[in-house]
Amino acid sequence: MTALDNPLILGSRHYGSRLLLGTGRYKDLDQTRRAIQASSAEIVTVTIRRLSSTPGGSGLLPLLSELGCTVLPNTAGCYTAKDAVYTCQLARDLLDGESLCKLEVIGCKETLQPDVRGTLAAAETLVNDGFDVMAYTTDDPLIARELAALGCAAVMPLGAPIGSGLGIQNPLNIARIVETCAVPVLVDAGVGTASHAATAMELGCDAVLMNTAIADAGEPVRMAEAMRHAVIAGRQAWLSGRMPARQYAQASSPPGAL
Amino acid sequence: MTAETQSPWITVTVNGDPYRMPAGSRLTDLITRRGLQGERMAIAINRSVIRRTDYPTRRLTHGDAIDIVHAVGGG
């Protein structure tokens, strides 16, 4: 956040950073730590999985606690509303009552496209159960508006398929979602490089959530820093109000010659 | 009473796999047997989340489906 900006508000909490990070696919915990620090992210996602018979713990939660991050559990891998709700309930207990959750109900293994009917059903149940739901969804403005109306804390349309790095495929829809949703809008999924993150913010998104774009970069820590700058740049450009685009040239120097 | 409740053993499932415990075991006994003391985890029995304060008193019964989860890296 800069001095000229407002905080990002999710549920009842305020955040300065508008970049949210996933913690998957990093080489090790040290790289995870350095990427989070370079990104300045304050909200970091984790996934809930069955504990293997080998004890020892992953060390991830202690790290996130040490870094002072809000831990945002996701429901990745859930294909039904019922499973997603169950996962959130387990996560809330695991994280000492944390009410924020990233809801994903996946409808297709190949595309990882969200199942919007399942997402709406799960969102309603979770909101009624006191969760602050950040709902991963398609870039359909009507579905996003419905999720916001259900009481979700944020709607998170995909820019492109999860892990694809293709960038925002339908900027018109993202802009429309920003225009019509009264809750924070985050692009979640599809960002591949810094300009994609800046584009999301220039479209008026409140924040961007990413994982693979940083973790799969040649130098993840450097890319995390690039994303931090991109999100700030895009946000500042959006707040500034860009100049009108013109069909023809308009000189920036006074007319005439020497 | 069924034959199962009279047996000195019960079989539960832990994360989908069958697991034999002495009849009358409580959730903390399972945690100890699996070497999970001190782990940061959440537990549900038959898809109902069990609060940590209830681990010592929650009795296990034959056929219980127990999920033990933790947090891993993910987006």
Side-chain angles (χ1 to χ4, degrees), chain A residues 51-255:
Chain A
L51 187 57
S52 71
S53 52
T54 315
S58 68
L60 182 60
L61 290 182
L63 169 65
L64 300 182
S65 167
E66 181 200 321
L67 295 175
C69 297
T70 292
V71 179
L72 175 62
N74 71 24
T75 63
C78 290
Y79 283 80
T80 65
K82 208 173 145 190
D83 281 350
V85 169
Y86 178 48
T87 301
C88 288
Q89 290 166 342
L90 281 162
R92 181 165 59 184
D93 186 71
L94 176 69
L95 300 172
D96 305 317
E98 174 59 64
S99 59
L100 267 185
C101 62
K102 175 185 161 180
L103 172 64
E104 305 178 38
V105 181
I106 302 299
C108 170
K109 279 194 168 67
E110 285 72 37
T111 62
L112 299 179
Q113 185 87 0
D115 168 358
V116 294
R117 282 176 297 196
T119 303
L120 286 164
E124 187 168 14
T125 304
L126 290 167
V127 167
N128 289 337
D129 194 14
F131 284 92
D132 293 314
V133 180
M134 301 175 68
Y136 169 65
T137 183
T138 60
D139 60 10
D140 180 334
L142 298 183
I143 297 295
R145 200 171 61 185
E146 210 168 321
L147 286 164
L150 280 175
C152 287
V155 293
M156 306 202 292
L158 53 78
I162 292 173
S164 68
L166 289 170
I168 296 173
Q169 298 297 292
N170 198 336
L172 201 63
N173 274 10
I174 299 294
R176 182 69 185 153
I177 291 170
V178 167
E179 207 178 293
T180 54
C181 284
V183 300
V185 175
L186 289 77
V187 159
D188 175 11
V191 167
T193 189
S195 56
H196 300 159
T199 299
M201 299 306 289
E202 286 174 8
L203 288 168
C205 288
D206 295 278
V208 182
L209 196 163
M210 65 182 74
N211 189 155
T212 312
I214 293 174
D216 279 16
E219 290 184 51
V221 179
R222 192 189 295 273
M223 184 59 93
E225 190 180 347
M227 292 300 186
R228 173 165 67 87
H229 291 300
V231 167
I232 292 170
R235 174 71 180 173
Q236 290 295 78
W238 162 256
L239 291 174
S240 302
R242 58 151 295 163
M243 62 161 277
R246 299 185 181 95
Q247 292 277 347
Y248 300 100
Q250 181 171 282
S252 50
S253 302

